[in-house]
Structures are given as C-alpha cells and as structure tokens.
C-alpha cells in the first residue's frame, strides 16, 4: 500500500526515475530462480518474450520490477515484455481464447459533485465504434447483467442494441471505485443508487463469466489491487476469476481521466479490431505513452498472456 501511495504522487513527466527505483527494489526481493531464468532467457532469445505470473501472492506488483545485473539493466518489466498474471488457485480456468460477441458498457450518471464527464465520453465512444450496449448504472441493471447475461432491448429501462442470449465479449465499467486496505473483499464500485461489492460478484448467482468467458475492463481507481482475505487472496480479480470470466483489466492506483480513456481506447482497438492479445495491446500502449504519465503503468491484466478474441466483435 505504501508503494502504491508513492505511485499516486508521481508527477507526469517526472515519474520514470521513481518507477525505476521502485522496480529495482522489487527486483532485489524477487526469488533468485526467477532472476537467473530471466537473464538466461533474455540472453538466449534476444527479443521480447511473454511472461505469465501465476501466483497467490496478493500484494507484490511483480510487473513493475526492473531487472538489474551488475552493470546491465533492463526497463521496468511491463515496458520490456507483454505480461499478465493469474491467481494460482484458479490456474485451471486460464483460457487462451476470448469470446466473440457484444461490447457492454456501464458508466453511471452520478449526481453532483461526483460526476465523471470523461466516463460518459468513454462509454459514448464505445457505443459509436462498436455499437456497445449501454447498461444503466444501477444496481438492478448491473446485477441482472451479471446474473443472466445481456437483456433484451429496453428490458433494463434503457439498454439498447442487445438481444437476450447474445454473447458478451467485453464488459466495460467507467466510474468511481473504492478499496479498503484491510479488506480486499470489501472493495466496491459506485453505481447511481448504491455500490456493488466484490463479495456480491463472487457468489454463485453471477453466471455471465461461465456463459461467455467475458473480458472485464474496469476504469475505476484502485480496483485492480488484491489483498489477503480468509487466508487466501481477495479482490475483484479473484472474484471474476472464480466466476470463470476470461480476464480482468484494471488500475492499481488513482489514474488521470484522459490517460485512462486512452488506455481503454487503444487496448480495445488492438484487441477487437486487430486481434492482438490483451497483454500485447497493453504493452504497446505503455511503450507508446509510458513516458508521459504514471497512469500507463497502473493497469494490471489478469488472464492468459496469450489470450486474444476468437473473431471480430458483433457489428
């Protein structure tokens, strides 16, 4: 938590040196077997290779480590390689293929002074580009989607363009997120009429993941973090993994609105239009914009590092 607190205070344009220092501290705490294997593979392959972390460690952002060996060093790992992580207890649920289907977006319309105009713009762009189905940001509409899948037209009082039973390729949320340092299972996203918590998404009623292996993208501050709970690992990533979703992408710390929108726009364009893997798309965005803002380092992807969509999304 102290590490993430440092990241929230980094100034755009002045953040790289601090992230490199944080990365070297993480590298020193990395198991020796990983460090040796990393340099051996780097020397052998002479090119970027993918790295899949499978771990039940809930706290350490290994993706931010910076390899150093005497006088030689590399960039922060997530700048050097497409990387992804997964929770060890759900290892058997890793899937290399993400579903074709519809994009669904949820952008709650908050009351003053909590409005997020950038979130509305982000959702509107998805609707324009992919004919994304806009689900109202209410507890009733969102829980129904998670429990039953995509509703028929206007069944939730405003959803448009969807038909009951259609596959959901991507579920996108843009809004406020909150986490509690001592309780990962108490993390929540804020909706128009209340909040939705991790424990509600982790229960057996949630069937959207099992139905379609949907990729979930949360553009909400801090919801990418995990933590210890009941002797294991908790948080949104664990809940979505347990309910058989195909992947989860979210930031670890508070992010800048404009930069966060760029992450979603460019990652989804690469994944849905060019059929890049999610990890590769995120890697390309970091390489392109990483020097501009710490926001581009905040996003973690939980899923198969090679996962890509099976076919173009529904028009």
């Amino acid at each position: 938590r102290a590490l993430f607190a440092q990241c929230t205070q980094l100034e755009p344009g002045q953040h790289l040196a601090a992230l490199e220092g944080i990365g070297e501290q993480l590298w020193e705490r990395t198991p020796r077997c990983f460090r040796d294997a990393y340099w051996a593979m780097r020397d052998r392959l002479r090119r970027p290779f993918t790295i899949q972390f499978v771990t039940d460690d809930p706290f350490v952002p290994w993706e931010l480590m910076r390899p150093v060996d005497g006088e030689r060093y590399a960039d922060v790992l997530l700048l050097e390689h497409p990387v992804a992580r997964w929770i060890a207890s759900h290892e058997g649920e890793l899937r290399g293929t993400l579903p074709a289907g519809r994009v669904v977006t949820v952008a709650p319309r908050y009351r003053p002074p909590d409005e997020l105009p950038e979130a509305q713009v982000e959702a509107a762009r998805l609707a324009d580009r992919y004919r994304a189905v806009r689900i109202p940001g209410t507890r009733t509409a969102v829980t129904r989607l998670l429990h039953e899948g995509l509703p028929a037209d206007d069944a939730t009082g405003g959803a448009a363009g969807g038909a009951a039973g259609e596959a959901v390729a991507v579920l996108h949320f843009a809004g406020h997120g909150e986490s509690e340092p001592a309780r990962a299972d108490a993390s929540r996203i804020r909706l128009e009429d209340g909040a939705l918590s991790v424990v509600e998404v982790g229960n057996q009623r949630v069937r959207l993941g099992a139905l379609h292996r949907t990729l979930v993208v949360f553009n909400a501050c801090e919801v990418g973090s995990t933590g210890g709970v009941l002797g294991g690992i908790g948080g949104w990533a664990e809940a979505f993994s347990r309910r058989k979703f195909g992947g989860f992408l979210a930031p670890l710390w508070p992010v800048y609105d404009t930069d966060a929108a760029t992450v979603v726009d460019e990652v989804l364009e690469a994944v849905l239009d060019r059929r890049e893997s999610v990890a590769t798309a995120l890697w390309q965005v970091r390489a392109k914009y990483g020097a501009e803002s710490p926001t581009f380092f905040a996003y973690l992807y939980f899923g198969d590092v090679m996962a890509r969509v099976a076919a173009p999304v529904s028009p």
Side-chain angles (χ1 to χ4, degrees):
R1 292 289 172 171
L3 178 69
F4 298 155
Q6 292 180 53
C7 294
T8 65
Q9 298 169 14
L10 298 178
E11 292 290 333
Q14 304 175 17
H15 58 285
L16 285 179
L19 285 169
E20 288 172 352
I22 290 170
E24 290 183 22
Q25 293 179 39
L26 291 171
W27 179 254
E28 292 171 0
R29 291 161 175 77
T30 303
R32 168 59 66 179
C33 58
F34 180 91
R35 287 184 279 173
D36 291 344
Y38 176 80
W39 287 116
M41 291 182 67
R42 187 182 177 94
D43 291 343
R44 175 72 174 179
L45 297 175
R46 303 286 181 182
R47 60 179 172 78
F49 48 88
T50 59
I51 299 176
Q52 177 80 58
F53 292 98
V54 180
T55 176
D56 272 337
D57 173 81
F59 301 112
V60 183
W62 300 114
E63 296 86 343
L64 291 174
M65 72 174 75
R66 187 190 191 207
V68 178
D69 182 21
E71 293 299 316
R72 65 173 176 168
Y73 54 86
D75 273 329
V76 175
L77 209 65
L78 50 67
L79 280 178
E80 289 276 359
H81 307 275
V83 295
R85 68 165 51 198
W86 194 248
I87 297 170
S89 55
H90 303 303
E91 186 174 4
E93 296 299 331
L94 268 173
R95 292 292 184 272
T97 302
L98 296 170
R102 301 303 297 267
V103 177
V104 174
T105 181
V106 180
R109 300 182 186 276
Y110 301 112
R111 296 177 181 177
D114 296 326
E115 306 102 316
L116 288 176
E118 288 289 344
Q120 298 304 317
V121 172
E122 190 174 310
R125 281 200 296 265
L126 292 178
D128 290 342
R129 183 161 196 165
Y130 301 108
R131 292 187 60 231
V133 181
R134 294 198 66 168
I135 296 292
T138 63
R139 280 185 53 85
T140 298
V142 174
T143 54
R144 179 174 179 180
L145 173 70
L146 292 171
H147 292 177
E148 303 174 11
L150 195 63
D153 291 354
D154 298 322
T156 61
E166 278 193 283
V168 177
V170 178
L171 170 58
H172 164 262
F173 172 83
H176 290 297
E178 302 170 352
S179 64
E180 294 187 16
R183 293 187 58 203
D185 58 339
S187 294
R188 53 196 172 271
I189 53 172
R190 287 172 53 190
L191 299 173
E192 295 170 11
D193 54 353
L196 184 70
S197 69
V198 166
V199 291
E200 293 176 272
V201 171
N203 72 47
Q204 295 288 335
R205 291 179 181 271
V206 173
R207 301 181 58 248
L208 182 65
L211 289 171
H212 308 304
R213 300 288 179 175
T214 303
L215 169 67
V216 180
V217 178
F218 269 18
N219 231 355
C221 294
E222 301 181 19
V223 296
S225 61
T226 56
V229 55
L230 295 177
I233 185 171
W236 290 103
E238 192 283 330
F240 284 121
S241 300
R242 176 152 36 98
R243 300 314 311 147
K244 303 183 186 305
F245 284 78
F248 178 62
L249 175 64
L252 283 169
W253 59 75
V255 292
Y256 292 97
D257 289 346
T258 302
D259 296 335
T262 297
V263 172
V264 169
D265 286 347
E266 300 215 5
V267 167
L268 290 185
E269 178 185 358
V271 170
L272 301 180
D273 294 348
R274 302 197 302 271
R275 297 200 212 175
E276 300 275 9
S277 69
V278 180
T280 296
L282 193 56
W283 174 53
Q284 292 170 341
V285 169
R286 293 185 189 115
K288 185 176 180 180
Y289 298 105
E292 298 180 10
S293 168
T295 288
F296 298 101
F297 293 83
Y299 287 81
L300 284 191
Y301 169 56
F302 288 78
D304 190 316
V305 72
M306 303 295 288
R308 64 189 71 231
V309 294
V313 294
S314 300

